[in-house]
Amino acid sequence: VTPPPPAGVAPSGSPLLVRSPGEPVRDRKKVKNIKHDGDITLDEVIDVARKMRERSMARKLEGTVKEILGTARSLGCTINGETPADTLEMINDGDIVIPEN
């Protein structure tokens, strides 16, 4: 017999990133076409990646951080005042080191 799935629903990366810059809660029926162009820190991105780690296909936390940076790029967020693409390039070049855990 297959056990029933857990009752809770885990949020994906986008809602976790949207909540990071401290955006106010909005009524989705009344407020439309909102821009999520807040500036978030790399530490907040790493925290979101740790929450998403178990559902990520990446082998290391660094890969999960890169996935979250791609999500931030699609949302229009900036990381420490820079574009997510620039931050991703710095991680690939070794200028920014992501911890193992």
Side-chain angles (χ1 to χ4, degrees):
V1 181
T2 306
V9 176
S12 64
S14 302
L16 293 173
L17 277 178
V18 168
R19 283 187 225 134
S20 290
E23 288 190 14
V25 179
R26 66 184 176 98
D27 184 3
R28 289 195 215 173
K29 293 214 177 228
K30 295 178 183 173
V31 182
K32 300 289 184 189
N33 301 326
I34 192 164
K35 289 270 190 188
H36 303 289
D37 55 359
D39 185 40
I40 57 179
T41 64
L42 187 61
D43 292 332
E44 290 173 333
V45 171
I46 292 173
D47 288 341
V48 170
R50 284 192 175 116
K51 291 176 187 172
M52 294 289 297
R53 183 74 186 106
E54 61 192 33
R55 292 184 295 153
S56 172
M57 298 297 287
R59 288 186 289 166
K60 297 181 180 177
L61 181 64
E62 180 179 331
T64 309
V65 168
K66 290 178 181 180
E67 290 177 5
I68 299 299
L69 285 173
T71 305
R73 181 177 182 176
S74 69
L75 286 175
C77 297
T78 55
I79 314 312
N80 294 336
E82 303 206 9
T83 64
D86 292 341
T87 307
L88 184 66
E89 192 173 310
M90 287 190 277
I91 291 172
N92 289 337
D93 292 343
D95 297 337
I96 298 175
V97 178
I98 304 298
E100 288 297 317
N101 292 337

